[in-house]
Amino acid sequence: MKIGVLAVQGDFIEHIEALRRLKAEAIPVRLPADLQGLDGLIIPGGESTTIRRLGQEYGVLPAIRDLRQKGAAMLGTCAGMIILARKATQLENGSLGIIDVEVRRNAFGRQLESFEVDLPIAVLGGTPFHAVFIRAPRIDKVGPGVEVLATLPGGEPVAARQGKVMVASFHPELTPDLRLHEYFLRLAATSQ
Amino acid sequence: MEKGTWTVKTGLAQMLKGGVIMDVVTADQAKIAEEAGACAVMALERVPADIRAAGGVARMADPTVIKAIMEAVTIPVMAKCRIGHFVEAQVLQAMGVDFIDESEVLTPADESHHVWKHDFRVPFVCGCRDLGEALRRISEGAAMIRTKGEAGTGNIVEAVRHMRAVQDAMRRLTNMLDDELAAESKTLGASLDLVQQVHRTGKLPVVNFAAGGVASPADAALMMQLGAEGVFVGSGIFKSSNPTARARAIVKATTHYQNPDILAEVSQGLGEAMPGLDIKAIPSEELLARRGW
């Protein structure tokens, strides 16, 4: 299993380390050529405006759309979710429309509102997942065919999946729990 | 739901990695920085080169300047407080800034104590010249570290010295025996706990950026190759002849720091860099890096 991690800005090293602990081949992606032969791609946390700017400079973002059309699985965490969404507030024409969700940037407020919480995520089993939200985006709307994987106690969706594409408002790469990455690798192994 | 924890403080620093944090003094400059791809901005009344030129006492920026910048951009906004001035830090936290830089660029308010940063919910970044200083700041609660370099000079030599000092000391720690670590913690003036942690992991427990003298894309890439996880650019952008082009070039150089072809491409046609200062020409009592301990 060969998984790329978009490595233009953000906490891509943490995703690469999580994948390697799960014995997957993990490759940093900075230019379109790095996307060759990937079974999946992770877009990490970071600053979405920065990732968008750097992704446009050498055509990596359009190449990611092509990779998805070839059937590769995708996971976006925080800024990565913003990039994969159909639409994101305050990022005009910045998102790729790879998953049918509308997201709101900085939905919980500034850094002082960043938080951590235990979330029940049924697809990951019975033990709650410790989720870290940093100036996090929120999912405002999900399209048909999108499954909500996790919600906050107030009911706001914070993780979703459509086919082989998965997004989360929080950062599974910042905690030692590998279940979400494991789930993503299983998704990447399925055909479609 | 827990807020203001060590995980969310150090977590924001993690999100800034591989990015460029730019000093800005107006909302317009902040927008230019955001558009160029800055991962955060530092809201100031004056950039370090102007602080250096003006002399006198440099304090926290006027809250109206910081507010205007916070309203202008969607990326994180940092602001500086004086070393040891915990009330300036309280004010900045009350305003809701995303990160506080307890900075030697401003005139220190206390010559014995840094701010006890664990008391705050907002994360702090602090400067260092060597590993001991970095670990002392982390013990006080700094969620991110940067080299001091020599701000406002456009001269990278001090940032290189400080980054090499930190990396060299960490490499030495990784090879030490337990009793040597105990002795070394005294020499470094740092807690044995943190010294043992660096010995095990080979790296700082928080994110480490370069700052103080970055003026060109090559400077940024140099610091990244020396082990920085991102860069601060102070006067280097808005004191240059073409801030927009230079800002974009430094952002690209920080991402593609290992790719000399891209570095060559982005270094072209940027116009004049900021005027630089020879460190040896600065009287030693005017060196900003000497502030703090």
Side-chain angles (χ1 to χ4, degrees):
Chain A
M1 188 76 61
K2 196 169 153 186
I3 308 290
V5 180
L6 187 63
V8 295
Q9 194 269 327
D11 67 339
F12 49 86
I13 291 167
E14 284 64 26
H15 276 294
I16 290 173
E17 284 170 357
L19 290 170
R20 288 184 179 158
R21 278 201 294 274
L22 292 166
K23 310 286 180 230
E25 191 184 346
I27 292 166
V29 171
R30 293 187 177 86
L31 297 169
D34 301 329
L35 294 167
Q36 295 267 326
L38 294 181
D39 301 300
L41 179 81
I42 298 179
I43 306 184
E47 225 7 82
S48 54
T49 53
T50 305
I51 293 173
R52 193 259 311 249
R53 156 68 57 210
L54 284 158
Q56 283 169 343
E57 293 283 0
Y58 295 101
V60 188
L61 289 186
I64 287 172
R65 209 182 264 134
D66 297 342
L67 180 72
R68 172 66 203 120
Q69 271 156 13
K70 286 182 208 151
M74 307 228 156
L75 166 64
T77 62
C78 193
M81 170 166 102
I82 295 169
I83 302 287
L84 289 177
R86 182 170 60 74
K87 193 175 161 197
T89 57
Q90 298 174 317
L91 195 76
E92 300 93 49
N93 310 317
S95 49
L96 290 172
I98 282 175
I99 183 167
D100 190 7
V101 297
E102 283 184 30
V103 303
R104 178 172 303 279
R105 287 183 65 211
N106 303 333
F108 300 92
R110 309 191 71 98
Q111 171 62 12
L112 289 174
E113 306 305 321
S114 292
F115 61 97
E116 42 186 322
V117 68
D118 284 329
L119 281 184
I121 305 181
V123 295
L124 302 184
T127 318
F129 193 88
H130 191 69
V132 181
F133 293 76
I134 311 278
R135 287 174 46 97
R138 187 156 71 196
I139 302 171
D140 272 352
K141 270 189 201 160
V142 299
V146 177
E147 176 192 2
V148 172
L149 299 177
T151 55
L152 287 175
E156 306 93 328
V158 289
R161 181 182 74 89
Q162 182 176 27
K164 293 175 80 171
V165 183
M166 219 176 130
V167 291
S169 300
F170 53 90
H171 295 282
E173 73 277 16
L174 287 186
T175 48
D177 191 335
L178 293 171
R179 284 178 294 159
L180 198 138
H181 286 89
E182 220 170 3
Y183 179 79
F184 173 66
L185 288 177
R186 283 203 300 275
L187 217 55
T190 59
S191 59
Q192 181 274 135
Chain B
M1 271 190 211
E2 273 195 286
K3 298 180 184 176
T5 60
W6 181 246
T7 302
V8 300
K9 288 184 191 175
T10 52
L12 179 55
Q14 298 280 351
M15 296 313 134
L16 301 173
K17 285 194 300 189
V20 181
I21 300 167
M22 301 182 191
D23 279 6
V24 296
V25 299
T26 63
D28 284 344
Q29 287 187 356
K31 282 185 191 147
I32 290 171
E34 181 176 50
E35 185 52 33
C39 67
V41 290
M42 179 77 69
L44 294 164
E45 235 174 82
R46 291 183 197 145
V47 293
D50 290 337
I51 290 174
R52 190 178 279 287
V57 174
R59 308 179 182 88
M60 173 187 82
D62 182 334
T64 30
V65 172
I66 300 170
K67 271 243 150 66
I69 290 167
M70 287 168 69
E71 280 160 17
V73 293
T74 61
I75 57 179
V77 176
M78 301 186 166
K80 289 186 195 288
C81 75
R82 282 179 268 179
I83 289 174
H85 205 315
F86 52 85
V87 173
E88 284 187 349
Q90 289 164 6
V91 170
L92 293 173
Q93 175 169 277
M95 292 177 60
V97 302
D98 297 292
F99 233 106
I100 296 176
D101 183 2
E102 186 185 18
S103 177
E104 69 284 359
V105 168
L106 305 182
T107 311
D110 189 321
E111 295 190 332
S112 315
H113 311 91
H114 280 255
V115 172
W116 185 251
K117 294 164 275 285
H118 289 295
D119 281 348
F120 290 79
R121 288 175 297 130
V122 62
F124 280 73
V125 55
C126 288
C128 74
R129 285 162 298 178
D130 53 42
L131 182 61
E133 203 172 8
L135 296 180
R136 285 193 292 281
R137 296 296 83 78
I138 295 166
S139 292
E140 296 157 2
M144 179 177 179
I145 289 293
R146 57 172 174 77
T147 60
K148 287 182 172 174
E150 189 57 30
T153 61
N155 188 339
I156 199 67
V157 66
E158 294 301 307
V160 168
R161 189 191 318 281
H162 301 158
M163 186 57 73
R164 280 194 182 272
V166 170
Q167 303 289 351
D168 172 64
M170 290 199 293
R171 276 192 296 272
R172 284 191 300 112
L173 279 190
T174 55
N175 285 318
M176 283 184 184
L177 305 172
D178 290 341
D179 52 355
E180 293 171 335
L181 290 172
E184 185 68 6
S185 89
K186 275 203 285 185
T187 315
L188 289 172
S191 88
L192 180 56
D193 259 11
L194 287 178
V195 167
Q196 287 169 329
Q197 197 176 329
V198 173
H199 165 73
R200 281 194 305 272
T201 63
K203 56 181 192 174
L204 287 178
V206 303
V207 168
N208 182 21
F209 269 45
V214 176
S216 70
D219 287 347
L222 173 67
M223 296 313 300
M224 293 297 287
Q225 289 197 27
L226 285 172
E229 297 178 282
V231 297
F232 284 85
V233 187
S235 321
I237 288 171
F238 290 100
K239 285 286 166 189
S240 74
S241 66
N242 188 344
T244 304
R246 189 163 292 267
R248 285 176 76 153
I250 292 176
V251 168
K252 285 202 242 178
T254 303
T255 291
H256 300 284
Y257 68 94
Q258 291 163 312
N259 187 328
D261 294 331
I262 290 182
L263 295 177
E265 172 206 319
V266 305
S267 299
Q268 290 169 31
L270 298 179
E272 285 287 304
M274 71 176 282
L277 281 177
D278 184 348
I279 306 297
K280 294 190 192 74
I282 304 171
S284 68
E285 66 276 12
E286 290 179 20
L287 289 173
L288 303 177
R290 297 235 173 134
R291 297 168 165 181
W293 32 90

